[in-house]
Amino acid sequence: MAWIEQRGRQHRVYWRCSDGTGRDFEPFEDRAAATRFVELLGLVGPGPARTFVRGEPVPTPAIPAASLATVFARHLEGYALAGVRPRILADYRRDFDHHIAAYFGADTDVRTLRTRGPLDGPSGRHDTISGWLLWLSERCSTRDGEPTGVALSAKTIRGLHGLLSAILEVAVLAEPPVLTRTR
């Protein structure tokens, strides 16, 4: 709760400290500015409100790191809650392990994934989504872990791209968001 007191020509906005040690205030030259500050206090609290009024840059909250495997597990939890059959969940897990984690690494921070970019690393491999799609187009399908010698079909690659897209969407929609946008 905040209130305004007039001291001479100064209008002070007072509020009680959250730790219960007393009260604090911010001075203003006119009542209208003090009233706007009271509304701002109610919305964001004293720290960010003071920072905003003083013209200092407002710090943005840190986005938590999350590995690709962690976000994928959250994605599978959503499917499990929706009643998807265990066999389909196992297929998604297999596709993630064989085609997504095999390229990017399960422990890769999802914030580092890029759509396009320069060649990275001594191997000359693209660590980007477009590089992953090229890698998939050159990769052979497997049966029981053994390569068959037949390239992955375009439909399989589209399905894998859809799975990665859904995983990244979970990262964007998470609370707090892991990604602010898919890059």
Side-chain angles (χ1 to χ4, degrees):
M1 181 177 127
W3 65 95
I4 301 171
E5 290 182 8
Q6 186 172 354
R7 303 284 176 125
R9 287 190 270 160
Q10 194 178 66
H11 297 272
R12 292 183 179 181
V13 176
Y14 287 91
W15 64 90
R16 300 220 181 273
C17 296
S18 60
D19 59 3
T21 59
R23 63 184 189 175
D24 203 354
F25 74 93
E26 187 73 31
F28 294 92
E29 293 188 19
D30 59 64
R31 188 162 189 86
T35 304
R36 286 192 304 270
F37 185 74
V38 168
E39 292 172 6
L40 187 60
L41 271 175
L43 293 172
V44 297
R50 277 185 145 172
T51 301
F52 179 75
V53 167
R54 293 178 181 169
E56 300 168 2
V58 178
T60 56
I63 297 173
S67 70
L68 199 55
T70 304
V71 177
F72 176 68
R74 196 177 301 169
H75 175 64
L76 281 188
E77 287 172 11
Y79 276 144
L81 290 174
V84 174
R85 291 182 298 181
R87 168 61 195 216
I88 293 175
L89 295 177
D91 288 346
Y92 285 149
R93 163 77 49 206
R94 181 201 63 224
D95 289 344
F96 176 80
D97 291 340
H98 289 174
H99 302 293
I100 297 174
Y103 183 82
F104 294 111
D107 295 331
T108 300
D109 187 347
V110 294
R111 298 175 300 170
T112 63
L113 297 179
R114 297 183 314 277
T115 305
R116 292 180 208 81
L119 291 172
D120 291 330
S123 67
R125 186 178 95 182
H126 286 277
D127 287 332
T128 61
I129 295 171
S130 60
W132 172 68
L133 291 170
L134 287 172
W135 179 75
L136 285 176
S137 67
E138 298 166 355
R139 188 167 177 159
C140 291
S141 62
T142 58
R143 186 168 311 275
D144 300 323
E146 296 295 321
T148 61
V150 179
L152 293 175
S153 71
K155 182 178 178 184
T156 300
I157 293 173
R158 278 195 307 270
L160 293 169
H161 187 265
L163 178 61
L164 180 61
S165 177
I167 293 168
L168 295 178
E169 184 178 4
V170 167
V172 170
L173 298 177
E175 284 298 326
V178 177
L179 291 175
T180 53
R181 61 186 172 92
T182 54
R183 299 179 229 185

